[in-house]
Amino acid sequence: MCTLEKRGRLFLLTLTGDGEHRLNPTLLDSIHSAIIQIRSDPSSSQSVLITTSDGKYFSNGYDLALAETDPPLRAVMSAKLRSLVADLISLPMPTIAAVTGHASAAGFLLAMSHDYTLMRSDRGFLYMSELNIDLIIPAWFMAMIRMKIGSPAARRDVVLAAEKVTADRGLEMGIVHSSHGSAAETIRAAIELGEEIVRRGADGHVYGRMRETLLREVLHSIGSDERASSGMRNSGSKL
């Protein structure tokens, strides 16, 4: 589950608990409900969203073990994540992911769906684990990767070598905006960045429309029929 806290013009969305924050239908619905609440707030277009998590994981991706017990949930989880990412792209405010633990596969994709990714340097990595668990990365994931990772060599290492990307390596690749020494420092830096962005005074509706145009390829791919995204079968990523 997640909690939502408003601090002035900052919305702090936290994936709660010490688990892996697997993206099952319950968690995805909880995050989506928080986004709806944020969007309906009168101050939303002058605000910033910060998404973070408790514990060792930001998110360890889809709940593959649950999908093993109920195969139709594979398509449900895929559809719910596509809807959530589309909502983040159209949200009328800047967004920041404060990654304080491992972000794997769909969890990595969730982090990249934010405008800025801040990461702790003492623990955790970003990891597209699909190659190591015999899954094909969906086309809409690839669209996001192409938009968010500029270097062909970096994309190769993330997708075709399944590199476990540390904060410092993420800075080199251009995936990570800044790295910080601990979870607390990462969240503090995200808040400081959010406050700085609020002071700029940009209209969130204009910002959101520009982001939609910038990520048009991702939105187009999200809207397509993603049968490949239901090809989940193993029980977990190799962390």
Side-chain angles (χ1 to χ4, degrees):
M1 298 296 287
C2 70
T3 61
L4 182 63
E5 177 187 357
K6 187 177 181 184
R7 300 184 185 180
R9 293 297 176 91
L10 303 182
F11 289 93
L12 187 62
L13 192 161
T14 304
L15 309 185
T16 56
D18 293 327
E20 297 183 10
H21 308 302
R22 290 279 184 173
L23 297 176
N24 55 44
T26 300
L27 179 55
L28 287 165
D29 285 345
S30 179
I31 299 170
H32 188 249
S33 294
I35 297 300
I36 291 173
Q37 184 178 340
I38 292 167
R39 191 185 290 271
S40 66
D41 190 282
S43 69
S44 63
S45 64
Q46 299 296 325
S47 300
V48 171
L49 167 66
I50 298 170
T51 303
T52 190
S53 66
D54 295 333
K56 180 180 176 181
Y57 294 87
F58 179 77
S59 171
N60 203 18
Y62 285 129
D63 193 334
L64 301 179
L66 181 63
E68 284 289 321
T69 66
D70 189 356
L73 286 178
R74 299 169 179 173
V76 172
M77 288 186 287
S78 174
K80 287 181 180 295
L81 182 60
R82 292 202 303 272
S83 177
L84 173 59
V85 171
D87 279 349
L88 285 170
I89 292 173
S90 67
L91 196 66
M93 66 178 66
T95 58
I96 302 168
V99 179
T100 57
H102 303 305
S104 177
F108 186 2
L109 190 283
L110 178 62
M112 283 195 294
S113 300
H114 294 72
D115 301 319
Y116 301 87
T117 299
L118 280 59
M119 189 174 175
R120 66 186 294 181
S121 58
D122 65 323
R123 176 189 291 179
F125 45 74
L126 308 172
Y127 175 38
M128 278 295 172
S129 60
E130 284 82 352
L131 183 69
N132 291 336
I133 56 175
D134 301 325
L135 301 179
I136 297 173
I137 295 176
W140 76 273
F141 277 39
M142 292 294 198
M144 182 69 80
I145 289 166
R146 284 193 297 272
M147 291 302 301
K148 292 301 182 94
I149 305 177
S151 162
R155 292 196 296 266
R156 176 201 62 209
D157 290 344
V158 167
V159 173
L160 301 178
E163 179 176 341
K164 293 180 179 179
V165 179
T166 64
D168 290 342
R169 178 71 169 129
L171 280 170
E172 293 176 9
M173 290 179 164
I175 304 170
V176 173
H177 176 72
S178 60
S179 67
H180 307 275
S182 67
E185 289 178 21
T186 304
I187 294 171
R188 184 161 55 248
I191 290 171
E192 290 173 356
L193 175 60
E195 291 172 343
E196 176 189 334
I197 293 171
V198 167
R199 285 194 295 270
R200 297 174 192 168
D203 185 303
H205 295 293
V206 174
Y207 187 99
R209 291 295 297 274
M210 291 175 67
R211 186 205 290 124
E212 288 181 83
T213 302
L214 184 65
L215 300 180
R216 182 176 295 161
E217 177 189 348
V218 179
L219 290 172
H220 176 76
S221 191
I222 286 172
S224 68
D225 183 11
E226 276 295 345
R227 291 186 176 88
S229 68
S230 65
M232 300 178 292
R233 56 186 179 79
N234 279 10
S235 61
S237 62
K238 297 178 181 177
L239 292 174

